[in-house]
Amino acid sequence: MESFSDAMKAYQQQLKQGAIQKAYRGLMDYMLALRAHFKNACPEYPAPGGLYLGYMDMTYFSINPPGLKDRGLKIAIVFLHEVFRFEVWLSGYNRQIQARCWQMLKDRGWKAYRLVADPQSMDAIVEHILVSDPDFSDLDALTRQIEVETLRFIAAIEQFLAQNPG
């Protein structure tokens, strides 16, 4: 296992090349623009708070569809750095809400999207891959793909919850 000191030396060498800074800054700018896009294109789904930058593991922002917010639930649009993909998550405002919603979905036969293995140790209840290995050369197309899949995900969850109250 590489020591912290060795890892920092490798990090320093990578930073000297300059690509990491440019890529990271571009990704953060894109995530901010994506958040702004959702605020403008989907005003019925408020995007409170800011952008969570993470530790180069994940970067995300949340949106709050009213039908989910009333249940203590939210949607997170997430970029996972290591696996290099965008996902959308159904999450709870806290672990207790997550566990309760996860159990309800499991008990009532939720099959539309993947339930996480353990909502107590995860930041999500349900996860869905939006875009694997995204093409950052056409940001408009990427944004459209993320928006369409996210809205489909939200609609499926809202429909299931409406049909399965409680």
Side-chain angles (χ1 to χ4, degrees):
M1 176 180 226
E2 186 176 38
S3 73
F4 174 63
S5 177
D6 291 338
M8 287 306 294
K9 287 177 186 171
Y11 181 59
Q12 181 182 29
Q13 290 302 313
Q14 291 297 316
L15 290 173
K16 284 180 182 178
Q17 294 177 18
I20 288 177
Q21 297 94 315
K22 185 176 182 180
Y24 188 77
R25 175 62 188 253
L27 178 61
M28 294 308 106
D29 287 347
Y30 176 71
M31 291 295 291
L32 287 168
L34 184 61
R35 182 178 174 274
H37 172 82
F38 270 91
K39 284 181 84 165
N40 294 327
C42 308
E44 68 277 18
Y45 299 155
L51 184 65
Y52 173 79
L53 303 176
Y55 297 104
M56 293 184 82
D57 60 342
M58 73 172 85
T59 301
Y60 72 89
F61 63 91
S62 63
I63 56 177
N64 289 354
L68 300 181
K69 182 179 181 183
D70 296 343
R71 296 172 180 260
L73 302 170
K74 61 186 174 182
I75 299 295
I77 298 173
V78 185
F79 180 77
L80 296 169
H81 294 249
E82 188 174 330
V83 293
F84 213 75
R85 70 179 176 226
F86 285 94
E87 294 188 0
V88 61
W89 297 351
L90 173 65
S91 298
Y93 287 173
N94 59 47
R95 300 286 185 192
Q96 183 180 10
I97 291 169
Q98 281 196 183
R100 187 171 54 244
C101 181
W102 181 88
Q103 193 63 55
M104 186 275 293
L105 290 170
K106 185 177 179 197
D107 290 348
R108 296 190 184 169
W110 172 262
K111 298 284 187 228
Y113 297 97
R114 189 174 71 80
L115 284 170
V116 300
D118 178 10
Q120 293 289 9
S121 65
M122 305 288 289
D123 293 325
I125 302 163
V126 177
E127 299 173 324
H128 174 59
I129 296 171
L130 295 170
V131 183
S132 293
D133 197 21
D135 178 2
F136 288 98
S137 68
D138 187 348
L139 297 181
D140 290 338
L142 179 58
T143 298
R144 280 190 302 277
Q145 186 177 5
I146 291 170
E147 178 185 1
V148 166
E149 286 298 316
T150 298
L151 295 178
R152 186 176 292 139
F153 180 83
I154 292 169
I157 291 168
E158 287 180 331
Q159 180 181 5
F160 188 86
L161 293 175
Q163 295 170 347
N164 294 275

